[in-house]
Amino acid sequence: MIDLVETAQVVKDDWYDILYRHYEKLGYTEQQRHLAKNLLCEFGMTYYDYLRKLYPNDEWTLVVKSLIDDEAHRFRGEHYAQFLLKEQQYDYLLAYCQDYPNSIRNFAPYLKDAYPKEVRTLFETLINQEADKASDRKAYRRVCKTINDMQKICGYNETLPIIEKLEREYYRRPAFLDELSRVKI
C-alpha cells in the first residue's frame, strides 16, 4: 500500500521544484530567493545550495543574519541547527543545544573546543534528565550510552563524578547499578 503522507511530500517537493525552476527561467530572482528561504526552513539543507547561489558573497552575511534573527522560528526540526553548523555560527548552535539538550549528541564534536564547560554541562543535564525518567533496563542502557558519548567528547575524568553521583542517587535500582558498572572506562 502506498504511504499517502510520503506521496504527498514527494508531490509537494516536486511542485516547489517546478515553481523554483519556473522562477529561474523567467528571471524572477527575488521570488526564487523567497522560495529558497522557505524551502531551506521547511525541508532543510538540501536547499541550502539553491539559496547560496542566489546571493553574492557581500550580501550573504546579511542573509545569514536575517535567517538567524528573523526566521529561526520558521525552521523545522534540526534544520536550523544544521544551517548554523554549515555557517559555523557556533555561539547560536550552543544556544540551540541549550534549548534542546538532546541535540548535544549530534553537535558536541563541533562545540567541544570552543565551549568545553558548556558541552560538559549539557551532557550532564541530559544524563540527569534521562536518569530521572529511566525505569527499565532499556532506559538505563540509554543513560549509559549518553555517558559513553560524553566520555568520547569530554574524557573519562569528566564522567566519573557523574557516574558516582548516579550510583549514590539510584542505589535502590540494582539493574541501573549493573548497567552503570558496564560503562566503558
Side-chain angles (χ1 to χ4, degrees), residues 1-2 5 22 33-34 45-47 49 55 58 61 70 90 97 131 137-138 155 162 166 172-173 180:
M1 184 166 179
I2 298 173
V5 174
H22 177 73
R33 288 175 174 179
H34 180 72
M45 294 305 290
T46 354
Y47 293 95
D49 290 331
Y55 288 94
D58 59 328
T61 53
D70 304 332
Y90 298 123
C97 290
R137 195 168 283 270
K138 184 178 178 181
I162 295 169
L166 291 172
R172 291 186 185 202
R173 296 185 185 179
L180 284 171

Side-chain angles (χ1 to χ4, degrees), residues 84-117:
L84 294 173
L85 182 60
K86 180 79 172 182
E87 287 298 318
Q88 299 179 353
Q89 298 288 325
Y90 298 123
D91 47 344
Y92 290 104
L93 185 59
L94 177 64
Y96 175 85
C97 290
Q98 289 168 334
D99 290 341
Y100 305 98
N102 197 34
S103 64
I104 195 64
R105 295 173 189 277
N106 298 329
F107 301 110
Y110 307 102
L111 297 171
K112 69 178 181 178
D113 293 332
Y115 305 102
K117 290 178 186 174

Side-chain angles (χ1 to χ4, degrees), residues 142-160:
R142 179 145 176 88
V143 173
C144 293
K145 181 181 180 334
T146 304
I147 293 170
N148 282 329
D149 292 345
M150 182 181 175
Q151 277 183 351
K152 290 175 190 169
I153 300 295
C154 302
Y156 172 74
N157 292 335
E158 295 295 328
T159 57
L160 188 58

Side-chain angles (χ1 to χ4, degrees), residues 1 3 5 27 29 34-35 37 42 49 51 57 70 86 103 107 127 129-130 140-142 150 153 168 173 176 178:
M1 184 166 179
D3 184 6
V5 174
T29 307
H34 180 72
L35 182 59
K37 279 183 185 179
E42 179 82 17
D49 290 331
L51 183 62
N57 289 338
D70 304 332
K86 180 79 172 182
S103 64
F107 301 110
I127 290 166
Q129 287 174 354
E130 288 177 348
Y140 300 149
R141 285 186 187 125
R142 179 145 176 88
M150 182 181 175
I153 300 295
R168 284 191 309 275
R173 296 185 185 179
F176 195 12
D178 181 45

Side-chain angles (χ1 to χ4, degrees), residues 10 16-17 20 39 50-51 62 69 74 76 82 86 95 98-99 105 107 109 113 118 122 128 141 154 180:
V10 169
Y16 283 134
D17 193 49
Y20 183 86
L39 293 172
Y50 285 118
L51 183 62
L62 295 173
D69 294 342
R74 293 182 44 208
R76 290 189 175 238
Q82 293 293 334
K86 180 79 172 182
Q98 289 168 334
D99 290 341
R105 295 173 189 277
F107 301 110
D113 293 332
E118 291 84 350
L122 284 167
N128 288 328
R141 285 186 187 125
C154 302
L180 284 171

